[in-house]
Amino acid sequence: MIKKIIINGIVQGVGFRPFIYNLANKYSILGEVYNDASGVIIFAEESNEFKNFFDAIKSPPPLAKITNITLEGSQKNTQYYDFKITRSKKTKNITTAVPKDACICSDCIKDITDKNNRRYRYAFTNCTNCGPRFSIIKAMPYDRKTTSMKAFNLCADCKEEYKSISNRRFHAQANACTKCGPKLQLVDNQKNIIHLDAIKTAVELLKQGKILAIKGIGGFHLTCLADDKKAVNILRDRKKRKHKPFALMAKNVEMVKKYCKVSAQEDKLLKDTISPIVLLTKNTDLLAKNIAYNQNKLGFMLPYSPLHYLLLKELNKPIVLTSGNRNNEPQIIDNTDALNKLAKIADYFLLHNRDIVNKVDDSVMQIIAGQTRIIRAGRGLSPISLPLPKGFANNQGVLALGAELKNTFCLLTNSQAIISQHIGDLKTLESYQDFQKNINLYQQLYEVDIKKLVCDLHPDYLSSKYAQNYAQDNNIELQKVQHHHAHIASCLFENKRPINCNNVLGIVWDGAGLGEDKNLWGGEFLLANYSNFKRIAQFEYVPMFGGDKVTLEPWRMAYAYFEKYQINTDKYFKGKPTTFFDKLIDSDIAFKYTSSVGRLFDAVAYILGICNQNISYEAQASIELESLASICKVKQQQTYDFELELMDGYYIVNSKKMWLSLLNDLRNNVGRENIAYKFHLSLASLIIKMTTKLKQQYSFDDVVLSGGVFNNKLLLELCFELFKNTADIHLMSASKTSLGDGAISLGQAAIHVAKIK
Ligand code: ZN
Ligand code: ZN
Ligand code: FE
């Protein structure tokens, strides 16, 4: 009897077929294995050892990830005499996953550090277990000729490895060596080539305090020594990046531990094949303070490409590694572009001639409440592929366009939801072009045509405008989805809740999203499932003095609260143009109103002396407030009270009392870090208090916490801590997708499908 085994997931370009071949030999199995568009197919004759063979498949090579494995009988009449890897077959429905970039493996590190190896110090070494994938791919299936490695012809030695089944580089599509592969080149900012050992010279230049642009896996980086305050300042000046923290790279975890606390979980995450930037708590101030102003955290990653590995090994010191772009533009991926656009920022360029096809920023992650949280999904993580929960199958071609600032889009195939890499702020031309390019690319990679479109309720988001135009031009149906509903739906989806699941209480706190009443929501309590939601409580609306300017000038929100609650403390607003607003309030000019908790954070931060001037990056005030709270030594149990006003079964959270007690603490010289901590604890207590009250009125068992505000480690951990004692409530928050707007696209797609069913 011949058995058929179908394996789906990340099973191509990761050494899966040789793995099966070797297992078949080990267990004396006769049959064949091949790739098709849906994954890997095995035909195997049933024998005594078959069960052992089948079980062993479930522990695949490091980069493989099996999402589904089915075993069925087969009608096949073939007589097998051995076990063979046979030709790939192309079928219609692509369900396989596009391979992701992976950090250099330990075997390749051995190769590049062994003087006798032919890849000694070769910066583009890779194998089936590691190396670039998504960043170099143009089409599926993943094959050398569909990647930017097409430009390089394999030399005889590399070809031999590629063909030899026992070799680690058997069918390694990006295989290369010093003889035949990509090469490094060091260039100064006048475009003069420097004919010296590129890595050694680059290290010397860094030691002299120079700024280098380095071409990495998913894009260019700008780099300088992390302990050279002057160099860091020069980099800030030239990049016009005032405060936003820089990411760092260290040789290994031991080096990271000199500067940060690293838990076992964080250690594991740093070493993961994703090789993300991991946000870690500082334990010293040994590095230049201007790397991350007013922060108790640093973002570290480990060398993920052989090039980075060789640099850091030679240098033996941490470096700043920030994306290579001009202020607010996306990361540059092209040599010529870099030489032109970064010439005024970088002194030297470390280039190579392997093209980056797809821009993928470094992924940024953090461990919160024992789970991995995604701040930004990029290299190593993207494209994120999620299995469809029950009821979502057969909606191929739904494209959801996401939010605007931290844009991703989401494409549904028959068997999975695909979330794009972080595209970024669509308001810059380059990002918008990248967005369009990627929408086309994903349709090609997954062989899916757009059949339906979903976008945010906000008509001014560029993603919404794109959807509107695309729908009109192609006569396609377009559905609009409320922002905070999408936040909840994405969390339900990644937790595999079926399409007709029960209501949950969604507590969605973020910067802003357009509400159904045209106000800017952001402090919401929604009773929701996939298809519907009902707003059952909210933070009280306050006016946004100066409209969108409030996000850049925290004092405006503070003043709005003070004005609203008639709190008379002018001393906080000396020199600010407040009389202008006083006049406006008396006129009938219509303000925009917001219930955003993100904005409440801004206001509290301002009153505590954080960000007195303009902020220079998104959520800066909140992030600095969290840092301040995190250094609080005495963890008191007291909280500030929020008043809950009940109107026709609908709660409004009034923060007047909270403000009065907070100001009182300030007057009594309570430490600012204590106040900041108490504010965090108060919000966590509010969540539990509100949940209890709402549970008396509504039926739900799960509480979903979502929205960018919950990227706040202290706040989210306090919530999980407090909910430990509530046995009848299950707390959920995203970990496979972003807690912030990166997951909006997924939520939109899920809601669309649920609504049409
Ligand atoms: Zn390797
Ligand atoms: Zn070669
Ligand atoms: Fe949001």
Side-chain angles (χ1 to χ4, degrees):
M1 171 91 171
I2 294 172
K3 291 280 190 187
K4 184 181 184 185
I5 304 168
I6 305 164
I7 305 158
N8 306 120
I10 302 173
V11 288
Q12 296 185 6
V14 292
F16 206 87
R17 286 170 304 161
F19 159 72
I20 296 296
Y21 177 88
N22 289 328
L23 281 185
N25 280 341
K26 184 173 169 192
Y27 294 108
S28 311
I29 299 289
L30 305 178
E32 64 177 317
V33 58
Y34 59 83
N35 282 343
D36 81 353
S38 71
V40 165
I41 310 289
I42 303 166
F43 285 101
E45 274 186 21
E46 209 172 4
S47 64
N48 292 342
E49 288 276 42
F50 182 82
K51 199 186 169 299
N52 293 335
F53 169 70
F54 185 72
D55 288 343
I57 295 173
K58 291 166 194 162
S59 322
L63 290 185
K65 213 177 120 204
I66 297 174
T67 52
N68 196 37
I69 175 163
T70 46
L71 175 64
E72 50 192 50
S74 134
Q75 307 298 327
K76 223 171 187 186
N77 255 333
T78 318
Q79 178 68 48
Y80 290 110
Y81 299 100
D82 54 7
F83 194 91
K84 275 204 180 92
I85 296 181
T86 50
R87 253 181 113 148
S88 301
K89 300 188 176 48
K90 205 164 153 64
T91 53
K92 262 216 168 104
N93 291 327
I94 295 204
T95 53
T96 188
V98 172
K100 301 164 194 206
D101 303 301
C103 74
I104 184 169
C105 73
S106 54
D107 287 326
C108 284
I109 288 180
K110 274 184 209 141
D111 288 350
I112 62 171
T113 49
D114 171 7
K115 279 197 175 117
N116 300 316
N117 193 290
R118 66 191 193 91
R119 289 189 177 83
Y120 178 58
R121 297 187 71 237
Y122 181 53
F124 305 92
T125 302
N126 67 83
C127 71
T128 40
N129 300 326
C130 76
R133 299 284 191 276
F134 177 66
S135 59
I136 58 168
I137 199 170
K138 293 173 184 169
M140 282 291 276
Y142 172 69
D143 205 350
R144 192 175 180 97
K145 59 180 186 295
T146 59
T147 70
S148 57
M149 282 306 291
K150 189 186 172 199
F152 304 92
N153 289 322
L154 287 170
C155 70
D157 287 342
C158 286
K159 201 174 246 168
E160 196 51 44
E161 293 168 337
Y162 185 87
K163 285 196 301 195
S164 148
I165 186 128
S166 57
N167 196 290
R168 203 170 88 242
R169 298 191 168 90
F170 174 72
H171 282 199
Q173 305 299 345
N175 193 19
C177 75
T178 21
K179 247 194 283 171
C180 66
K183 286 182 175 50
L184 284 174
Q185 191 173 53
L186 191 66
V187 178
D188 70 14
N189 58 6
Q190 308 295 314
K191 299 180 187 170
N192 301 308
I193 299 169
I194 294 163
H195 297 280
L196 294 166
D197 182 299
I199 290 173
K200 287 197 166 131
T201 316
V203 165
E204 281 316 306
L205 290 166
L206 285 170
K207 283 183 181 163
Q208 290 165 24
K210 302 288 187 218
I211 312 283
L212 267 69
I214 300 179
K215 188 179 188 181
I217 296 289
F220 271 83
H221 284 108
L222 288 159
T223 180
C224 68
L225 283 191
D227 61 359
D228 185 341
K229 193 174 173 192
K230 213 174 121 198
V232 176
N233 258 340
I234 293 172
L235 178 55
R236 282 211 178 273
D237 266 9
R238 291 187 189 166
K239 213 188 161 189
K240 298 195 178 65
R241 177 154 151 157
K242 255 170 116 178
H243 303 115
K244 195 174 180 187
F246 284 140
L248 299 161
M249 183 180 270
K251 191 172 83 171
N252 48 31
V253 176
E254 286 62 48
M255 192 181 269
V256 176
K257 281 182 177 166
K258 282 192 196 163
Y259 312 100
C260 292
K261 289 179 210 150
V262 182
S263 70
Q265 235 183 335
E266 287 160 344
D267 182 297
K268 204 173 148 218
L269 185 58
L270 279 164
K271 291 173 183 160
D272 191 280
T273 57
I274 300 166
S275 199
I277 296 168
V278 182
L279 298 186
L280 300 164
T281 307
K282 270 202 284 192
N283 61 8
T284 59
D285 272 324
L286 284 173
L287 291 175
K289 278 210 178 100
N290 48 359
I291 287 170
Y293 285 108
N294 300 330
Q295 307 263 338
N296 73 324
K297 285 185 204 147
L298 290 172
F300 263 108
M301 59 186 144
L302 299 184
Y304 53 82
S305 80
L307 172 57
H308 294 117
Y309 184 87
L310 293 166
L311 271 173
L312 269 289
K313 186 172 183 283
E314 187 83 31
L315 185 63
N316 207 19
K317 272 178 168 197
I319 52 172
V320 164
L321 207 63
T322 181
S323 50
N325 54 358
R326 291 188 299 203
N327 197 21
N328 290 327
E329 288 179 6
Q331 200 173 12
I332 291 170
I333 59 172
D334 176 79
N335 286 349
T336 319
D337 238 18
L339 287 168
N340 291 334
K341 290 183 174 171
L342 301 179
K344 289 201 173 110
I345 304 179
D347 301 305
Y348 293 88
F349 291 80
L350 187 51
L351 306 173
H352 61 73
N353 57 346
R354 182 176 68 201
D355 285 343
I356 299 171
V357 179
N358 305 313
K359 173 184 86 79
V360 256
D361 293 275
D362 295 315
S363 294
V364 184
M365 299 169 100
Q366 163 166 231
I367 303 284
I368 306 182
Q371 287 204 49
T372 306
R373 312 289 171 175
I374 300 172
I375 314 261
R376 179 172 78 191
R379 177 185 44 75
L381 258 178
S382 300
I384 292 177
S385 149
L386 293 175
L388 302 176
K390 228 171 150 188
F392 284 94
N394 302 318
N395 284 285
Q396 175 133 309
V398 171
L399 176 71
L401 293 145
E404 183 175 66
L405 206 55
K406 297 196 162 156
N407 178 270
T408 66
F409 59 84
C410 173
L411 184 64
L412 296 188
T413 76
N414 273 335
S415 62
Q416 49 187 336
I418 313 294
I419 311 170
S420 76
Q421 74 270 39
H422 166 89
I423 310 269
D425 183 355
L426 294 183
K427 287 197 290 298
T428 70
L429 177 67
E430 288 81 0
S431 290
Y432 189 69
Q433 286 168 341
D434 196 40
F435 168 73
Q436 290 172 305
K437 181 193 143 188
N438 275 293
I439 290 173
N440 291 331
L441 172 77
Y442 277 63
Q443 288 180 77
Q444 277 168 35
L445 290 181
Y446 294 95
E447 294 190 355
V448 170
D449 293 325
I450 301 172
K451 294 200 187 85
K452 280 174 182 166
L453 290 163
V454 204
C455 71
D456 195 275
L457 210 55
H458 203 310
D460 298 335
Y461 279 1
L462 285 173
S463 48
S464 304
K465 286 184 175 167
Y466 174 90
Q468 201 93 46
N469 292 337
Y470 194 102
Q472 244 162 36
D473 294 350
N474 297 281
N475 208 4
I476 290 178
E477 197 186 316
L478 169 67
Q479 188 172 55
K480 294 184 176 185
V481 166
Q482 202 280 323
H483 187 94
H484 300 90
H485 187 200
H487 268 300
I488 299 168
S490 64
C491 185
L492 294 176
F493 194 99
E494 79 151 69
N495 282 286
K496 296 198 181 116
R497 290 298 159 104
I499 197 160
N500 54 354
C501 69
N502 293 335
N503 276 334
V504 297
L505 170 64
I507 301 179
V508 192
W509 291 357
D510 62 0
L514 188 65
E516 289 180 316
D517 61 359
K518 301 274 189 295
N519 286 316
L520 288 171
W521 296 6
E524 314 310 312
F525 301 78
L526 311 178
L527 191 68
N529 54 33
Y530 286 110
S531 46
N532 292 299
F533 76 90
K534 184 179 169 194
R535 197 184 189 203
I536 52 178
Q538 66 163 106
F539 270 72
E540 186 166 29
Y541 283 132
V542 282
M544 293 164 68
F545 288 150
D548 292 342
K549 275 191 193 157
V550 296
T551 55
L552 297 174
E553 299 174 39
W555 71 267
R556 289 171 183 269
M557 284 313 297
Y559 193 68
Y561 281 103
F562 280 36
E563 187 66 43
K564 166 126 199 136
Y565 298 132
Q566 314 244 300
I567 301 169
N568 198 358
T569 19
D570 288 341
K571 70 166 185 180
Y572 292 107
F573 303 101
K574 278 199 185 107
K576 308 288 186 203
T578 51
T579 42
F580 174 70
F581 296 118
D582 297 342
K583 271 185 224 151
L584 281 186
I585 291 162
D586 296 333
S587 73
D588 2 295
I589 298 248
F591 286 107
K592 274 205 224 170
Y593 284 86
T594 184
S595 52
S596 164
V597 175
R599 297 290 85 84
L600 177 63
F601 264 88
D602 288 356
V604 170
Y606 176 77
I607 294 302
L608 293 186
I610 292 166
C611 297
N612 281 318
Q613 302 306 320
N614 294 6
I615 67 167
S616 67
Y617 62 92
E618 202 215 341
Q620 182 181 354
S622 313
I623 291 170
E624 292 188 13
L625 184 61
E626 181 199 346
S627 280
L628 182 64
S630 304
I631 59 168
C632 167
K633 295 254 154 52
V634 206
K635 304 274 192 279
Q636 78 277 44
Q637 300 296 313
Q638 291 161 313
T639 56
Y640 298 120
D641 255 355
F642 289 92
E643 272 182 311
L644 306 180
E645 293 167 4
L646 184 61
M647 282 161 65
D648 304 327
Y650 188 90
Y651 284 99
I652 291 182
V653 182
N654 175 315
S655 52
K656 181 172 184 176
K657 239 176 133 181
M658 185 282 295
W659 277 111
L660 291 176
S661 332
L662 187 149
L663 290 168
N664 203 34
D665 275 353
L666 264 181
R667 265 191 298 275
N668 291 330
N669 295 320
V670 176
R672 285 160 63 246
E673 68 276 11
N674 291 319
I675 298 178
Y677 179 84
K678 197 168 160 188
F679 173 66
H680 279 75
L681 185 64
S682 310
L683 286 171
S685 316
L686 169 70
I687 285 180
I688 200 150
K689 188 167 142 195
M690 206 59 173
T691 303
T692 321
K693 282 204 182 268
L694 291 169
K695 205 166 161 47
Q696 288 161 7
Q697 269 176 270
Y698 301 96
S699 157
F700 59 84
D701 299 317
D702 303 286
V703 173
V704 167
L705 299 182
S706 188
V709 165
F710 292 104
N711 278 327
N712 184 317
K713 183 178 165 86
L714 176 63
L715 177 64
L716 193 57
E717 289 190 341
L718 285 172
C719 290
F720 272 94
E721 191 63 40
L722 294 184
F723 270 88
K724 258 188 197 161
N725 307 320
T726 53
D728 56 337
I729 288 167
H730 173 235
L731 203 54
M732 286 159 73
S733 57
S735 120
K736 295 187 188 89
T737 58
S738 156
L739 279 159
D741 283 3
I744 287 293
S745 58
L746 173 67
Q748 291 171 342
I751 290 168
H752 170 80
V753 173
K755 282 200 170 180
I756 55 171
K757 285 241 157 132

